């Protein structure tokens, strides 16, 4: 049975869910937040150490202002109401991506990271304004500037995911089979599951089914 240390999720399909059920993409984002909470709980139950959630990509700025504002309002509310409980549960929150949002949100994110920095039970990485190409270009720039040797170990030390092991498992919901600029380096050897269901419809049971399948895969890493 494969050990499972890190799950990464591309939470896709909120907009389509919202349009289908409530004629509003934003309603889908709200419903998606309930799934986030369920999946965090289930990750803790499964004793998985790292959970990385793709919440907003560098490309998502192309969306209408009204949708972007709605998403960040949801996030603000989530952080304000949940950070105490996350902290009590010994969960560390880390943001990957550039924090260039409103002053209020930037402050809230920094506060949440600082408050939970010493927590040890599990770590949630929230990918916000995250793009893998941007991350890699920045890492190369820093590596060159540092005059360190160009090798794998040094490159990894300049990624935003430094000190976080690579994901063992990637799940993308929403019936689309692509990576959308997510963790291109880190996913080199992850097992990938594409799930037909839209994110708000994804359940603990679906999650556990994937985990079970993952545990029985023969992972070769190039060996036989
Ligand atoms: C993913 O759901 C969530 C974010 C990008 C914030 P989408 O909003 O992309 O939902 P669909 O793919 O349009 O249905
Ligand atoms: C990927 O979903 C980003 C997040 C889930 C945050 P998108 O819906 O933005 O991806 P594309 O644009 O369809 O590839
Ligand atoms: Mg989408």
């Amino acid at each position: 049975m494969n050990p499972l240390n890190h799950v990464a999720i591309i939470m896709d399909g909120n907009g389509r869910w919202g349009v289908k059920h409530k004629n509003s993409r934003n309603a889908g984002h709200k419903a998606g937040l309930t799934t986030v909470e369920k999946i965090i709980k289930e990750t803790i139950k499964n004793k998985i150490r790292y959970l990385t959630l793709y919440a907003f990509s560098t490309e998502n700025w192309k969306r209408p202002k009204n949708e972007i504002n709605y998403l960040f309002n949801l996030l603000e509310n989530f952080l304000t109401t949940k950070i105490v409980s996350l902290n009590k549960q010994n969960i560390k929150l880390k943001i990957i991506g550039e924090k260039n949002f409103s002053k209020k949100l930037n402050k809230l994110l920094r506060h949440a990271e600082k408050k939970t920095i010493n927590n040890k039970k599990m770590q949630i990485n929230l990918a916000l304004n995250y793009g893998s190409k941007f991350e890699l270009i920045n890492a190369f720039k820093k590596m060159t500037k540092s005059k360190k040797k160009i090798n794998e170990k040094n490159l990894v030390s300049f990624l935003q995911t430094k000190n976080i092991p690579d994901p063992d498992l990637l799940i993308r919901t929403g019936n689309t089979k692509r990576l959308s600029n997510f963790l291109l380096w880190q996913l080199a050897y992850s097992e990938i599951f594409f799930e037909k269901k839209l994110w708000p419809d994804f359940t603990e049971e679906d999650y556990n089914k994937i985990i079970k399948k993952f545990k029985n895969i023969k992972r070769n890493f190039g060996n036989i």
Side-chain angles (χ1 to χ4, degrees), residues 12-13 16 25 63 172:
D12 196 22
R16 278 164 286 163
R25 291 183 52 84
R63 296 189 179 203
R172 179 176 188 140

Side-chain angles (χ1 to χ4, degrees), residues 152-167:
E152 222 180 281
K153 185 172 156 265
N154 289 335
L155 180 75
V156 165
S157 77
F158 290 115
L159 294 175
Q160 290 172 333
T161 52
K162 70 168 182 208
N163 302 326
I164 302 169
D166 288 343

Side-chain angles (χ1 to χ4, degrees), residues 40-48 89 91 121-122:
I40 291 176
K41 277 200 191 116
E42 206 57 29
T43 305
I44 299 170
K45 258 197 208 158
N46 278 290
K47 300 198 166 62
I48 298 164
Q89 293 175 78
I91 296 173
K121 187 165 167 196
M122 89 167 289

Side-chain angles (χ1 to χ4, degrees), residues 93-217:
L93 186 75
K94 163 137 184 85
I95 309 301
I96 59 168
E98 298 305 300
K99 288 191 219 52
N100 61 357
F101 313 103
S102 68
K103 257 194 188 153
K104 187 178 169 203
L105 183 55
N106 288 340
K107 202 173 151 196
L108 207 61
L109 291 169
R110 273 197 300 269
H111 169 77
E113 283 189 300
K114 208 173 148 195
K115 197 173 169 75
T116 61
I117 197 159
N118 293 317
N119 290 348
K120 295 275 182 301
K121 187 165 167 196
M122 89 167 289
Q123 177 167 335
I124 298 173
N125 307 303
L126 202 55
L128 267 186
N129 189 19
Y130 173 85
S132 191
K133 289 189 178 179
F134 181 83
E135 177 190 35
L136 283 165
I137 297 278
N138 256 345
F140 281 119
K141 278 188 193 160
K142 283 184 196 155
M143 190 163 50
T144 313
K145 207 172 164 196
S146 75
K147 305 224 162 56
K148 279 190 182 157
K149 224 173 118 189
I150 296 184
N151 59 29
E152 222 180 281
K153 185 172 156 265
N154 289 335
L155 180 75
V156 165
S157 77
F158 290 115
L159 294 175
Q160 290 172 333
T161 52
K162 70 168 182 208
N163 302 326
I164 302 169
D166 288 343
D168 302 294
L169 168 60
L170 170 76
I171 301 170
R172 179 176 188 140
T173 59
N175 201 20
T176 304
K177 297 190 176 86
R178 54 178 175 250
L179 294 180
S180 304
N181 203 12
F182 189 46
L183 303 175
L184 301 178
W185 171 281
Q186 297 87 338
L187 294 172
Y189 256 111
S190 311
E191 305 300 329
I192 301 182
F193 284 74
F194 293 108
E195 162 69 45
K196 286 208 170 97
K197 280 193 185 177
L198 304 173
W199 177 248
D201 289 330
F202 190 64
T203 63
E204 293 94 335
E205 206 187 346
D206 299 321
Y207 189 37
N208 283 319
K209 266 190 202 154
I210 292 174
I211 291 174
K212 200 171 162 201
K213 277 193 197 152
F214 162 85
K215 290 203 167 158
N216 290 306
I217 290 172

Side-chain angles (χ1 to χ4, degrees), residues 30-79:
K30 192 167 176 207
L33 198 57
T34 312
T35 308
V36 170
E37 292 184 45
K38 283 193 228 163
I39 294 305
I40 291 176
K41 277 200 191 116
E42 206 57 29
T43 305
I44 299 170
K45 258 197 208 158
N46 278 290
K47 300 198 166 62
I48 298 164
R49 186 76 177 73
Y50 297 90
L51 175 67
T52 301
L53 300 171
Y54 203 9
F56 196 85
S57 74
T58 46
E59 287 71 31
N60 287 145
W61 293 107
K62 293 175 192 160
R63 296 189 179 203
K65 257 222 165 94
N66 129 304
E67 180 167 341
I68 295 176
N69 288 342
Y70 188 86
L71 273 168
F72 290 132
N73 270 331
L74 269 185
L75 179 67
E76 269 182 32
N77 282 338
F78 178 80
L79 286 175

